[in-house]
């Protein structure tokens, strides 16, 4: 079946450090892939997405590239800020709107 | 665009009473909406899929008589927690299938904190 696996957290970084949160997926067919971010006490916000192989989604300094050969969609940011502290969810969708989420990775950024 | 709003953000109710949470798509029509429950420091648990004009589809283990879902229009779905008990206290989040231009993207509401006392 379809699934999404992302690295366990929490991830703790110092401000301006490089961030990578790994995400891999299994799917029949070619899913659309998403990263959502959840700030404390809030709902989820769409951060970025990619709909086909080799697409790169980017937003607010975050990037993720759809790698079909490795079935991955790793989230990266070159220089994190304290305000990036949140929970990040990787997700996939193979059709319709039903979306499968990873377990979430909590990021703490220290000043 | 593609804004989803939930109301109320916070609600406290007495044990045994019912509480309704609304989920609205503000700038697009949503034929499909989803309701989730989230426990502290955990991922989302899909409760049900709500389709406009038809009965909701509940996930295994979710009591449909306890969590009543109504999707009466293309911009509004409601979740009613009936005869609430303290164990129903949780963060409830809705999402909506976005406009055609967004592909298969779903957009989330802000979430609603329910505390049953």
């Amino acid at each position: 079946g379809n699934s999404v696996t992302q690295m366990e957290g929490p991830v703790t970084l110092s401000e301006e450090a490089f961030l990578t949160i790994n995400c891999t997926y299994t799917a029949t067919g070619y899913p659309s892939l998403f990263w959502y971010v959840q700030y404390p006490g809030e709902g989820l916000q769409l951060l970025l997405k990619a709909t086909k192989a080799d697409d790169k989604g980017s937003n607010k300094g975050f990037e993720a590239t759809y790698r079909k050969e490795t079935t991955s969609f790793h989230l990266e940011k070159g220089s994190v800020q304290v305000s990036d502290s949140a929970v990040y969810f990787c997700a996939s969708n193979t059709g319709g709107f039903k979306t499968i989420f990873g377990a979430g990775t909590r990021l703490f950024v220290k000043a | 665009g593609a804004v989803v709003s939930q109301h109320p953000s916070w609600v406290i109710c007495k044990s045994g009473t019912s509480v309704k949470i609304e989920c609205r798509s503000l700038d697009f029509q949503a034929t499909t909406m989803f309701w989730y429950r989230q426990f502290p420091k955990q991922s989302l648990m899909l409760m049900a899929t709500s389709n406009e004009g038809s009965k909701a589809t509940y996930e295994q283990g979710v009591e449909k008589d306890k969590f009543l879902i109504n999707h009466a229009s293309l911009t509004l779905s409601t979740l009613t927690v009936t005869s609430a008990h303290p164990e129903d206290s949780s963060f409830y989040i809705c999402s909506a299938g976005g406009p055609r231009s967004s592909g298969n993207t779903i957009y989330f509401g802000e979430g609603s904190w329910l505390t049953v006392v």
Side-chain angles (χ1 to χ4, degrees), chain A residues 15-34:
Chain A
E15 212 166 20
E16 298 184 5
F18 185 87
L19 168 71
T20 301
I21 300 178
N22 291 338
C23 171
T24 56
Y25 67 90
T26 59
T28 51
Y30 302 98
S32 295
L33 301 173
F34 307 85

Side-chain angles (χ1 to χ4, degrees), chain B residues 38-102:
Chain B
Q38 187 178 34
F39 294 100
K41 298 186 179 180
Q42 293 189 24
S43 189
L44 305 170
M45 182 191 83
L46 178 65
M47 298 174 67
T49 302
S50 167
N51 293 300
E52 186 268 336
S54 64
K55 290 183 179 180
T57 303
Y58 289 82
E59 297 298 304
Q60 194 171 7
V62 177
E63 297 176 62
K64 61 181 179 182
D65 294 330
K66 179 162 188 65
F67 298 100
L68 300 179
I69 291 171
N70 184 280
H71 192 159
S73 79
L74 287 171
T75 59
L76 173 65
S77 176
T78 60
L79 167 68
T80 302
V81 183
T82 62
S83 188
H85 291 285
E87 57 265 30
D88 299 325
S89 299
S90 191
F91 189 51
Y92 292 89
I93 312 176
C94 73
S95 69
R100 284 182 185 270
S101 59
S102 73

Side-chain angles (χ1 to χ4, degrees), chain A residues 6 36-45 86-89 101-106, chain B residues 6 21 35-47 67 79 87-94 108-114:
Chain A
Q6 59 183 107
Y36 287 86
V37 58
Q38 185 179 30
Y39 298 103
E42 299 182 11
L44 277 69
Q45 300 174 27
V87 181
Y88 292 82
F89 291 93
F101 291 88
T105 302
R106 188 174 296 272
Chain B
Q6 266 181 258
I21 301 170
W35 286 95
Y36 307 83
R37 187 170 177 178
Q38 187 178 34
F39 294 100
K41 298 186 179 180
Q42 293 189 24
S43 189
L44 305 170
M45 182 191 83
L46 178 65
M47 298 174 67
F67 298 100
L79 167 68
E87 57 265 30
D88 299 325
S89 299
S90 191
F91 189 51
Y92 292 89
I93 312 176
C94 73
F108 285 83
E110 307 94 327
S112 300
W113 289 97
L114 170 63

